Amino acid sequence: MFNALVVTRDEDKKTSASVQSIDLDQLPEGNVTVAVEYSTVNYKDGLCIGPGGGLVREYPHVPGIDFAGTVESSEDDRYQAGDKVILTGWRVGEVHWGGYAQKARVNADWLVPLPDGISAKQSMAVGTAGLTAMLAVLALENHGLKEHAADGTPVLVTGAAGGVGSVATALLANLGYKVACVTGRPEASEYLTSLGASQIVAREEINETTKRPLESESWSGCIDAVGGPMLARVLGQLKYGSSAAAIGLAGGAELPATVIPFLLRGVNLLGIDSVMQPYESRVAAWNRIATDLPMDKLEAMIHPASLTDLPQLGKSILKGEVKGRVVVDVNV
Ligand code: NDP
């Protein structure tokens, strides 16, 4: 028997989450069983711990969209007992039971080996949020970020004090880019500066609507976790030919933009999806994370948690109240 955070739903479709002792036989099908060590708290986890947000298909459910641990048994030649592995994406924690448990059974295709130079705990301080930040940096670099930023024009990060934003800030700063961070939390300024931000922009400043479809070319690129009116405004502030990587919708799914920035400034809007990333791309991104992300800055982002903290943390992340990265030690 082992512990898991189990979400149940009653006849009135009301969900509740509690730590329960469950059996290996209850785990879903898969060809690799992993002794989970760490998981994290992402926006989607908040939805899945609560009413599901349309992500969960069947109850009871074990959320947790990412985890790191050690292979306990494997029917797949690529993995042996004792191998350290990471899982992100592939709808684990949504339609397949996830990482909020001391054991998980998954498909070998969804795993990647833990790269050298990073511990299981550090890998979950990165987690899905950090992988997404890395994918966004790679996408921007493939679209000329280095050239656009060569004159010192900053890269903008929105939702900066959140999970993706924190890792994106540290990664970009470590790669030598000037980073401007948009935050709605003035008290997070010191934290963001410690991660490498050279400029803090108040959320209201960019959320204000304007009738002007084009403004000064202020940013060499953008990693956007917010969407909505903020992303629409940023499009009109990008340098000629530069790109915004859209990773999230913490500020809304609508995009009230005009086509003018695309037509008159040749800007690009790049969609980033971490969920269905093929194996090679996940391995490449994790290897870059292990070499490019300063581990001391990563440590500064960590808030430790246990399985019993998750019901409350699920609510906090949906309200945008979590700063940095929550790392869940499932064995405490
Ligand atoms: P967090 O909750 O940790 O961070 C989101 C941040 O956005 C908050 O910390 C806050 O930053 C800001 N924010 C929240 N609400 C608003 C609002 N109404 N208006 C403006 N800013 C707001 O979440 P994550 O960083 O984990 O995820 C961010 C988004 O990215 C989510 O929508 C998530 O679903 C998505 N995501 C997408 C992935 C993909 O593959 N594309 C993978 C992972 C996440 P501050 O306080 O600094 O203003």
Short mmCIF file of all heavy atoms in Angstrom, two decimals, residues 43 128 132 159-164 182-185 203 225-226 230 247-251 272-274 317 320 322, ligand 1:
data_model
loop_
_atom_site.label_atom_id
_atom_site.label_comp_id
_atom_site.label_asym_id
_atom_site.label_seq_id
_atom_site.Cartn_x
_atom_site.Cartn_y
_atom_site.Cartn_z
N TYR A 43 -0.73 25.16 -12.86
CA TYR A 43 -2.09 25.69 -13.00
C TYR A 43 -3.09 24.55 -13.29
O TYR A 43 -4.16 24.48 -12.69
CB TYR A 43 -2.08 26.71 -14.13
CG TYR A 43 -3.31 27.58 -14.19
CD1 TYR A 43 -3.42 28.73 -13.40
CD2 TYR A 43 -4.35 27.26 -15.04
CE1 TYR A 43 -4.54 29.52 -13.46
CE2 TYR A 43 -5.48 28.05 -15.10
CZ TYR A 43 -5.57 29.18 -14.32
OH TYR A 43 -6.68 29.97 -14.38
N THR A 128 7.15 20.94 -15.33
CA THR A 128 6.48 21.30 -16.59
C THR A 128 6.64 22.79 -16.89
O THR A 128 6.84 23.18 -18.04
CB THR A 128 4.99 20.94 -16.51
OG1 THR A 128 4.89 19.52 -16.29
CG2 THR A 128 4.25 21.29 -17.78
N THR A 132 8.53 24.20 -20.17
CA THR A 132 7.80 25.10 -21.08
C THR A 132 8.60 26.38 -21.30
O THR A 132 8.70 26.88 -22.43
CB THR A 132 6.41 25.42 -20.51
OG1 THR A 132 5.77 24.19 -20.21
CG2 THR A 132 5.57 26.23 -21.47
N GLY A 159 3.58 37.51 -16.37
CA GLY A 159 3.28 36.51 -15.32
C GLY A 159 4.57 36.07 -14.67
O GLY A 159 4.76 34.91 -14.31
N ALA A 160 5.48 37.04 -14.49
CA ALA A 160 6.89 36.71 -14.21
C ALA A 160 7.10 36.02 -12.86
O ALA A 160 8.00 35.18 -12.75
CB ALA A 160 7.74 37.97 -14.30
N ALA A 161 6.30 36.36 -11.85
CA ALA A 161 6.55 35.74 -10.53
C ALA A 161 5.97 34.33 -10.44
O ALA A 161 6.20 33.63 -9.46
CB ALA A 161 5.97 36.62 -9.42
N GLY A 162 5.22 33.91 -11.46
CA GLY A 162 4.67 32.54 -11.46
C GLY A 162 5.72 31.52 -11.85
O GLY A 162 6.90 31.84 -12.01
N GLY A 163 5.28 30.27 -12.01
CA GLY A 163 6.21 29.17 -12.27
C GLY A 163 6.96 29.31 -13.58
O GLY A 163 8.20 29.32 -13.61
N VAL A 164 6.23 29.43 -14.70
CA VAL A 164 6.90 29.54 -16.00
C VAL A 164 7.73 30.82 -16.04
O VAL A 164 8.88 30.83 -16.48
CB VAL A 164 5.86 29.53 -17.15
CG1 VAL A 164 6.57 29.66 -18.50
CG2 VAL A 164 5.04 28.25 -17.13
N VAL A 182 7.05 41.54 -16.15
CA VAL A 182 5.76 42.13 -15.80
C VAL A 182 5.20 41.35 -14.62
O VAL A 182 5.08 40.12 -14.69
CB VAL A 182 4.74 42.01 -16.96
CG1 VAL A 182 3.43 42.70 -16.56
CG2 VAL A 182 5.29 42.58 -18.23
N THR A 183 4.87 42.05 -13.54
CA THR A 183 4.25 41.38 -12.40
C THR A 183 3.15 42.24 -11.82
O THR A 183 3.23 43.47 -11.85
CB THR A 183 5.30 41.02 -11.32
OG1 THR A 183 4.64 40.32 -10.27
CG2 THR A 183 6.01 42.24 -10.75
N GLY A 184 2.13 41.57 -11.28
CA GLY A 184 1.06 42.29 -10.57
C GLY A 184 1.37 42.39 -9.09
O GLY A 184 0.55 42.87 -8.32
N ARG A 185 2.53 41.84 -8.69
CA ARG A 185 2.88 41.82 -7.26
C ARG A 185 4.13 42.66 -7.04
O ARG A 185 5.25 42.17 -7.21
CB ARG A 185 3.15 40.39 -6.82
CG ARG A 185 1.88 39.55 -6.77
CD ARG A 185 2.16 38.14 -6.30
NE ARG A 185 2.40 37.22 -7.39
CZ ARG A 185 2.54 35.90 -7.24
NH1 ARG A 185 2.50 35.38 -6.04
NH2 ARG A 185 2.74 35.13 -8.29
N ARG A 203 2.00 45.39 -13.70
CA ARG A 203 0.98 44.76 -14.54
C ARG A 203 0.02 45.79 -15.13
O ARG A 203 -0.31 45.73 -16.32
CB ARG A 203 0.20 43.75 -13.70
CG ARG A 203 -0.77 42.93 -14.51
CD ARG A 203 -1.70 42.10 -13.65
NE ARG A 203 -1.05 41.00 -12.97
CZ ARG A 203 -1.68 40.19 -12.12
NH1 ARG A 203 -2.96 40.35 -11.87
NH2 ARG A 203 -1.02 39.21 -11.52
N ALA A 225 2.92 34.33 -20.32
CA ALA A 225 2.14 33.33 -19.57
C ALA A 225 0.71 33.80 -19.34
O ALA A 225 -0.08 33.10 -18.72
CB ALA A 225 2.81 33.08 -18.22
N VAL A 226 0.37 34.99 -19.84
CA VAL A 226 -0.87 35.65 -19.41
C VAL A 226 -1.94 35.67 -20.49
O VAL A 226 -3.13 35.51 -20.20
CB VAL A 226 -0.52 37.09 -18.92
CG1 VAL A 226 -1.78 37.90 -18.65
CG2 VAL A 226 0.34 37.01 -17.65
N MET A 230 -3.21 41.62 -22.23
CA MET A 230 -1.78 41.92 -22.07
C MET A 230 -0.98 41.47 -23.29
O MET A 230 -0.17 42.23 -23.83
CB MET A 230 -1.23 41.25 -20.80
CG MET A 230 0.16 41.75 -20.47
SD MET A 230 0.89 41.01 -19.02
CE MET A 230 -0.17 41.59 -17.72
N ILE A 247 2.61 31.00 -24.03
CA ILE A 247 2.63 29.71 -23.32
C ILE A 247 1.40 29.52 -22.43
O ILE A 247 1.13 28.40 -22.02
CB ILE A 247 3.92 29.52 -22.50
CG1 ILE A 247 3.99 30.51 -21.34
CG2 ILE A 247 5.19 29.61 -23.32
CD1 ILE A 247 3.49 29.95 -20.09
N GLY A 248 0.68 30.60 -22.09
CA GLY A 248 -0.40 30.40 -21.13
C GLY A 248 -1.49 31.45 -21.22
O GLY A 248 -1.43 32.38 -22.04
N LEU A 249 -2.49 31.28 -20.37
CA LEU A 249 -3.67 32.14 -20.42
C LEU A 249 -4.14 32.55 -19.03
O LEU A 249 -5.34 32.68 -18.78
CB LEU A 249 -4.80 31.43 -21.19
CG LEU A 249 -5.03 29.94 -20.95
CD1 LEU A 249 -5.46 29.61 -19.55
CD2 LEU A 249 -6.01 29.38 -21.96
N ALA A 250 -3.14 32.77 -18.12
CA ALA A 250 -3.50 33.13 -16.74
C ALA A 250 -4.37 34.39 -16.69
O ALA A 250 -5.15 34.58 -15.75
CB ALA A 250 -2.24 33.32 -15.91
N GLY A 251 -4.28 35.24 -17.72
CA GLY A 251 -5.08 36.48 -17.74
C GLY A 251 -6.25 36.41 -18.71
O GLY A 251 -6.90 37.43 -18.96
N ILE A 272 3.39 27.60 -27.87
CA ILE A 272 4.25 26.61 -27.22
C ILE A 272 3.38 25.59 -26.49
O ILE A 272 2.59 25.96 -25.63
CB ILE A 272 5.20 27.28 -26.18
CG1 ILE A 272 5.99 28.43 -26.82
CG2 ILE A 272 6.12 26.25 -25.53
CD1 ILE A 272 6.95 28.04 -27.92
N ASP A 273 3.54 24.33 -26.84
CA ASP A 273 2.80 23.27 -26.14
C ASP A 273 3.78 22.26 -25.58
O ASP A 273 4.50 21.60 -26.34
CB ASP A 273 1.84 22.58 -27.12
CG ASP A 273 1.19 21.37 -26.46
OD1 ASP A 273 0.90 21.44 -25.25
OD2 ASP A 273 1.00 20.34 -27.15
N SER A 274 3.82 22.13 -24.26
CA SER A 274 4.76 21.17 -23.65
C SER A 274 4.18 19.77 -23.59
O SER A 274 4.90 18.81 -23.36
CB SER A 274 5.14 21.63 -22.24
OG SER A 274 3.99 21.58 -21.41
N ILE A 317 -2.94 28.34 -6.51
CA ILE A 317 -2.36 28.55 -7.85
C ILE A 317 -3.42 29.06 -8.81
O ILE A 317 -3.13 29.88 -9.69
CB ILE A 317 -1.63 27.30 -8.39
CG1 ILE A 317 -0.71 27.72 -9.55
CG2 ILE A 317 -2.58 26.19 -8.84
CD1 ILE A 317 0.52 26.92 -9.76
N GLY A 320 -3.56 32.70 -8.70
CA GLY A 320 -2.32 33.41 -9.06
C GLY A 320 -1.53 33.83 -7.85
O GLY A 320 -0.77 34.79 -7.89
N VAL A 322 0.62 31.75 -6.08
CA VAL A 322 1.85 30.98 -5.83
C VAL A 322 3.02 31.70 -6.49
O VAL A 322 2.93 32.12 -7.64
CB VAL A 322 1.71 29.54 -6.40
CG1 VAL A 322 3.05 28.81 -6.36
CG2 VAL A 322 0.67 28.77 -5.60
P1 NDP B 1 1.38 30.44 -12.15
O1 NDP B 1 0.05 30.57 -11.51
O2 NDP B 1 2.54 29.97 -11.35
O3 NDP B 1 1.79 31.84 -12.82
C1 NDP B 1 0.91 32.64 -13.55
C2 NDP B 1 1.25 34.10 -13.27
O4 NDP B 1 0.49 34.93 -14.15
C3 NDP B 1 0.90 34.55 -11.87
O5 NDP B 1 1.89 34.22 -10.94
C4 NDP B 1 0.77 36.04 -12.09
O6 NDP B 1 2.09 36.59 -12.13
C5 NDP B 1 0.19 36.15 -13.49
N1 NDP B 1 -1.27 36.32 -13.49
C6 NDP B 1 -2.20 35.54 -12.86
N2 NDP B 1 -3.43 36.00 -13.11
C7 NDP B 1 -3.29 37.11 -13.91
C8 NDP B 1 -4.20 38.02 -14.49
N3 NDP B 1 -5.53 37.91 -14.30
N4 NDP B 1 -3.70 39.02 -15.25
C9 NDP B 1 -2.37 39.16 -15.45
N5 NDP B 1 -1.45 38.31 -14.90
C10 NDP B 1 -1.92 37.30 -14.15
O7 NDP B 1 1.19 29.49 -13.42
P2 NDP B 1 2.29 28.83 -14.36
O8 NDP B 1 3.43 29.75 -14.51
O9 NDP B 1 2.54 27.44 -13.93
O10 NDP B 1 1.48 28.75 -15.73
C11 NDP B 1 1.14 29.96 -16.41
C12 NDP B 1 0.20 29.65 -17.56
O11 NDP B 1 0.86 28.79 -18.47
C13 NDP B 1 -1.10 28.92 -17.18
O12 NDP B 1 -2.13 29.42 -17.99
C14 NDP B 1 -0.78 27.46 -17.51
O13 NDP B 1 -1.94 26.71 -17.76
C15 NDP B 1 0.08 27.63 -18.74
N6 NDP B 1 1.00 26.54 -19.01
C16 NDP B 1 1.11 26.15 -20.32
C17 NDP B 1 2.00 25.17 -20.67
C18 NDP B 1 2.17 24.84 -22.11
O14 NDP B 1 2.63 23.74 -22.44
N7 NDP B 1 1.85 25.75 -23.01
C19 NDP B 1 2.78 24.45 -19.65
C20 NDP B 1 2.68 25.01 -18.32
C21 NDP B 1 1.78 26.01 -18.03
P3 NDP B 1 2.46 37.95 -11.38
O15 NDP B 1 1.96 37.79 -9.98
O16 NDP B 1 3.93 38.05 -11.49
O17 NDP B 1 1.73 39.03 -12.13
#
